[in-house]
Structure formats: structure tokens, C-alpha cells
Amino acid sequence: MAFAPSSTPSRTGDVPRDSGDIHLPETARDLVKILVAGPFGVGKTTLIGSVSEIRPLHTEEPISEASAPLDDLAGVRDKVTTTVAVDFGRISLPGGVVLYLFGTPGQERFRALWDDIAYGALGALVLVDSRRIDASFDVLGLVEESGLPYAVAFNAFPDAPRHHTEEQLRAALDLAAGTPMVTCDARDTGSSVDALLALVQHLIERNVPEDR
């Protein structure tokens, strides 16, 4: 699928929310599969839940005594559940673009699911926690190995450090110059939609013919 420049979303306020209708809007033109990726506890489930216009599908289960030693709880000690398969939500954007959002488990033991979940995706929004940037390296590696275009969104946790510059954060993640990098609050609908719009705009720009 190739995006047309006219598909560029306009304003966050134009995004329909809470319609209560599970059916696709009549204006739907481009149906796009997007991954929401990131390490354990970074806010993927929260972001999908905050933007989905349908009741989101969650596959969260309590963190058991058996799984606790396998999951790195550093920085997320208050987390009591974990995604064990996939999160799913849908959001319709202006211009007839409909995003199907697939949240991927962030733990290494679920790596075997990655290829299946990533199949057919056009891009990925990678959530990062600036309190534990190194936890994102494996996920970024998977996204890059898959060849998916992506944008990075730093989820603004209340106790996240604020002193890093954009250049420092890009260097820490070894991001290419053209990779979008934004800050969002996964709990906030408008902020999360803006992060998704940054990814969509990146996908549109990559698909504009060079002779235009």
C-alpha cells in the first residue's frame, strides 16, 4: 500500500473517539497495520487503550511467582500484570486512514511471536522509558531487523529524567537522523494520537515519489 500525501492527518481534535461502533467508518480508505512495540512495562497496553475507538483486546495476566524471575522488574516494581500474547485496538484518522494497532509483548521469551505479529505491518511505534533506555535495545534491534520504518516515543513517566537533550537521547538509541522521536503520555489520548501521527507522517513521506 502506498500512502498519498492527501492522507496526511490534520489535527488531533479531528480524530473520532468513543463512537461505540465496531464497524469501519464509510470513509475508511487505507487500512494500515501498525505495531506498538517496546520493552516490558513501557506502556504499550496503556497507549492502545487510550486511543482505541473500539473496546481494545488485551491479553494481560497477573505476574506470577514463576514468571517474576524471568521479567526484569527494575523500574517497574509496581507492575502486577503482563501482556502474554497481543494487544489490539483500532483508530480512524482523518483522510480515511484507519490504523490497526498491535501491541507486542516486550519480554525476550515471547520473541517467537514477533514474526507472526509483525507480518503485514507497515510501521512500528517504539515506546521507550528514559529511566531505563537500555531496556529498549533488543526491541529496536528486532524492529530494525524486520526492516520496518518506525518512530520512537518516550513515554513521559512522572519520575522520568528531564535533563537529557534530544541529541543525547538519539545518540543513546543510535537513531538514524530521519527517525522521528517524540515524547508522549501513554495515558493521554491526544498525546498518544500525536505520537501515532508522527509515525504516519513518516510513512507518508517515505512513500512520496522522489520526483514530486
Side-chain angles (χ1 to χ4, degrees), residues 189-209:
T189 298
S191 178
S192 297
V193 170
D194 283 343
L196 289 167
L197 293 181
L199 171 61
V200 170
Q201 182 62 41
H202 181 51
L203 297 179
I204 291 171
E205 291 171 353
R206 287 173 55 93
N207 283 275
V208 173

Side-chain angles (χ1 to χ4, degrees), residues 54 56 90 98 119 147 169 181:
I54 60 174
R90 188 189 79 199
V98 178
Y119 181 80
L169 293 174
M181 190 180 76

Side-chain angles (χ1 to χ4, degrees), residues 146-168:
S146 70
L148 287 175
Y150 65 94
V152 168
F154 281 88
N155 192 8
F157 289 93
D159 59 341
R162 311 291 179 183
H163 58 275
H164 299 306
T165 66
E166 178 177 347
E167 291 75 16
Q168 289 172 328

Side-chain angles (χ1 to χ4, degrees), residues 126 128 133 136-137 140-141 143-144 150-154 166-182:
V126 180
V128 176
I133 290 177
S136 300
F137 294 163
L140 282 168
V143 173
E144 291 175 351
Y150 65 94
V152 168
F154 281 88
E166 178 177 347
E167 291 75 16
Q168 289 172 328
L169 293 174
R170 282 189 173 276
L173 294 174
D174 194 24
L175 295 183
T179 303
M181 190 180 76
V182 299

Side-chain angles (χ1 to χ4, degrees), residues 72-73 77 107 131 138-139 154 164 171 206 208:
D72 183 4
L73 297 178
R77 291 293 177 184
Q107 299 97 307
R131 301 171 302 176
D138 287 344
V139 174
F154 281 88
H164 299 306
R206 287 173 55 93
V208 173

Side-chain angles (χ1 to χ4, degrees), residues 2-10 29-30 94-97 200-212:
F3 285 111
S6 60
S7 299
T8 308
S10 52
R29 185 183 67 192
D30 292 324
V97 177
V200 170
Q201 182 62 41
H202 181 51
L203 297 179
I204 291 171
E205 291 171 353
R206 287 173 55 93
N207 283 275
V208 173
E210 294 183 359
D211 58 351
R212 293 198 55 172

